[in-house]
Amino acid sequence: MKITPLHHIPMRPEFRSPFSAGYIVEGGRLLFFSGCGPVPIYHTHPHDPVEERRWLDGSFRDQCERTFDNMRIILSAAGADWSSVLKLNIYLTDMTHQNTLNEISAANFGRDNPPARTLVMVPELAHRRMLLEIEGVVALPAAAKS
Amino acid sequence: MKITPLHHIPMRPEFRSPFSAGYIVEGGRLLFFSGCGPVPIYHTHPHDPVEERRWLDGSFRDQCERTFDNMRIILSAAGADWSSVLKLNIYLTDMTHQNTLNEISAANFGRDNPPARTLVMVPELAHRRMLLEIEGVVALPAAAKS
Amino acid sequence: MKITPLHHIPMRPEFRSPFSAGYIVEGGRLLFFSGCGPVPIYHTHPHDPVEERRWLDGSFRDQCERTFDNMRIILSAAGADWSSVLKLNIYLTDMTHQNTLNEISAANFGRDNPPARTLVMVPELAHRRMLLEIEGVVALPAAAKS
């Protein structure tokens, strides 16, 4: 498996770009992971309003850090880490949170070759009061002997 | 081609989780399919308001079942079935429909290893009165002799 | 690398379909590129309101053409062209722009085998007054000697 960040021009440090222009992958395995938020990845359906209230306490920063914790749990279960992430799709219910998101993202992904990324606002997520959701594609080393 | 659902913890039956935490694929081919709704996959552009009115009749349940029918048509054209679906992105214009969606999803994908998934609300889709759209990534067996 | 458009039925010319039902890829490399808009791909974070005002001038058509220019820059940096694009996700802040989008899309991708596509409306993108964002997945020929 080989992954390569794509920079159409050098990423100048003063840009503090939270994303690379693209990411290229060859060989190995791909992991598509589900949209993660601050709630436990597996939880009761239909949603339990009492659990939801407890889980969705706190500021955007709290929710964002718990979302990154959940992504870390998934990466770790797949034997991967932050450096294997090719692409993220991030959904915010309020775009004014983007700078906090970018700060937490940089703390995890660093500044040099962060994943490719799309960031959009949506009016609502699957849990009311959930402020963000992040899904992604990850490269893993080959497992099969072929 | 080998696909493996990723569960970071066992999916307890009482969760009735409509998604797996992730899906891993190795080898074979990947199919990226277009966002499907209850309207015929190929249709006139610009959209014909008379056709749209006819197609977008009915409840969310009707629209959701026709959307799954359209996904089945695409899977079938590619020689695949529900078990080959790695990831879905689902867009609802009203999040109160999520339990109906999850019920129809479980009827097609089962409860054990449903695809990875992201579910978000959007204010509008390409057809006014279209209540959902679903796109996805699918694993197919290798075709080329290599 | 082999890519094949998937048409579940023939795409009749009068449909002027801006998307193929799906796209299948086998072998080679995959490029996941970041959401592109009319602003320079790499830019200062937090966003500079003065730069933003200058970049986000103009009509939807202007913004859309600059967005396609940015996608062309990324494709070109990866050694690819329009014919290598498998899938696009397009986010519009106003769905009434979809016919202009489809016209510009057809001018670049042609009418026969455009990429698979999902098109949704979102209330806001990362830059206020940015009217669209497009991300995608691209197939590239194998690079590694394996």
Side-chain angles (χ1 to χ4, degrees):
Chain A
M1 180 261 301
K2 197 182 164 206
I3 64 176
T4 321
L6 176 75
H7 301 295
H8 60 295
I9 56 169
M11 266 209 325
R12 299 219 303 264
E14 64 270 31
F15 286 158
R16 289 172 293 277
S17 181
F19 53 85
S20 297
Y23 247 93
I24 297 170
V25 61
E26 177 161 27
R29 293 170 296 152
L30 286 180
L31 160 66
F32 296 88
F33 71 80
S34 287
C36 290
V39 308
I41 300 161
Y42 287 161
H43 50 262
T44 309
H45 293 80
H47 293 147
D48 177 334
V50 176
E51 286 183 333
E52 284 187 309
R53 209 164 316 132
R54 186 159 41 88
W55 291 331
L56 295 164
D57 247 14
S59 65
F60 177 81
R61 181 176 295 273
D62 293 332
Q63 289 205 13
C64 190
E65 280 169 353
R66 293 213 305 279
T67 300
F68 274 79
D69 290 343
N70 281 329
M71 287 196 286
R72 193 182 290 112
I73 288 170
I74 288 185
L75 291 176
S76 164
D81 60 27
W82 297 122
S83 70
S84 321
V85 179
L86 307 170
K87 171 81 192 299
L88 294 178
N89 276 249
I90 306 181
Y91 306 89
L92 296 186
T93 60
D94 181 343
M95 200 51 92
T96 63
H97 294 134
Q98 64 177 301
N99 293 335
T100 307
L101 163 73
N102 290 342
E103 181 198 323
I104 293 168
S105 178
N108 288 290
F109 290 111
R111 291 262 185 231
D112 292 340
N113 298 302
R117 182 175 107 166
T118 294
L119 169 65
V120 300
M121 182 189 160
V122 294
E124 201 178 308
L125 294 162
H127 303 270
R128 208 163 296 225
R129 296 185 51 220
M130 190 160 94
L131 303 175
L132 80 160
E133 181 159 336
I134 308 183
E135 55 160 350
V137 188
V138 179
L140 306 172
K145 32 199 144 181
S146 56
Chain B
M1 180 263 301
K2 195 179 166 209
I3 64 176
T4 320
L6 177 74
H7 302 295
H8 60 297
I9 55 168
M11 266 208 324
R12 298 218 304 263
E14 63 270 31
F15 286 157
R16 289 173 293 277
S17 181
F19 53 86
S20 298
Y23 247 93
I24 297 170
V25 61
E26 177 160 26
R29 293 170 296 152
L30 285 181
L31 161 66
F32 296 88
F33 71 80
S34 287
C36 290
V39 308
I41 299 160
Y42 287 161
H43 50 263
T44 309
H45 292 79
H47 293 147
D48 176 334
V50 177
E51 286 183 335
E52 283 187 309
R53 209 163 317 131
R54 184 158 42 87
W55 291 333
L56 294 165
D57 246 14
S59 64
F60 177 81
R61 182 176 294 274
D62 292 334
Q63 289 205 14
C64 190
E65 279 169 353
R66 295 213 303 280
T67 299
F68 274 79
D69 290 343
N70 280 329
M71 286 195 286
R72 194 182 288 112
I73 288 171
I74 288 184
L75 291 176
S76 163
D81 60 28
W82 297 123
S83 69
S84 322
V85 179
L86 306 170
K87 171 80 192 298
L88 294 178
N89 276 251
I90 307 181
Y91 306 90
L92 296 185
T93 60
D94 181 345
M95 200 50 91
T96 64
H97 293 134
Q98 64 176 302
N99 293 335
T100 306
L101 163 72
N102 290 342
E103 180 198 322
I104 293 169
S105 179
N108 288 288
F109 289 111
R111 291 261 185 231
D112 292 340
N113 298 302
R117 181 175 108 167
T118 294
L119 169 65
V120 300
M121 183 188 159
V122 294
E124 201 179 306
L125 294 162
H127 304 269
R128 209 163 298 226
R129 297 183 52 216
M130 191 160 94
L131 304 175
L132 80 160
E133 181 158 336
I134 308 182
E135 55 161 347
V137 189
V138 179
L140 304 173
K145 33 199 144 180
S146 58
Chain C
M1 180 262 301
K2 196 181 164 208
I3 63 175
T4 321
L6 176 75
H7 301 296
H8 61 294
I9 56 168
M11 266 209 324
R12 298 219 304 265
E14 65 269 30
F15 285 157
R16 287 173 294 279
S17 181
F19 54 85
S20 298
Y23 247 92
I24 296 169
V25 61
E26 178 162 24
R29 292 170 296 153
L30 285 181
L31 160 66
F32 295 88
F33 71 80
S34 287
C36 290
V39 309
I41 300 161
Y42 287 161
H43 50 264
T44 309
H45 292 80
H47 293 147
D48 176 334
V50 177
E51 286 183 334
E52 284 187 308
R53 209 164 315 131
R54 185 159 40 87
W55 291 331
L56 294 164
D57 247 14
S59 63
F60 177 81
R61 180 176 296 274
D62 292 332
Q63 289 206 12
C64 190
E65 281 169 353
R66 292 212 305 280
T67 300
F68 274 80
D69 290 343
N70 280 329
M71 286 195 287
R72 192 183 291 111
I73 288 170
I74 288 184
L75 292 175
S76 163
D81 60 27
W82 297 123
S83 69
S84 321
V85 179
L86 306 169
K87 171 80 191 300
L88 295 178
N89 276 249
I90 306 181
Y91 305 89
L92 297 184
T93 59
D94 180 344
M95 200 49 92
T96 64
H97 294 134
Q98 64 176 302
N99 293 334
T100 306
L101 163 73
N102 290 342
E103 181 199 322
I104 292 168
S105 178
N108 288 290
F109 289 111
R111 291 263 185 231
D112 292 341
N113 297 303
R117 181 175 107 167
T118 294
L119 170 64
V120 300
M121 182 188 160
V122 293
E124 201 178 308
L125 293 162
H127 304 269
R128 209 163 297 227
R129 296 183 54 217
M130 189 160 95
L131 303 175
L132 79 160
E133 181 158 335
I134 308 183
E135 55 159 349
V137 188
V138 179
L140 306 173
K145 33 198 147 180
S146 59

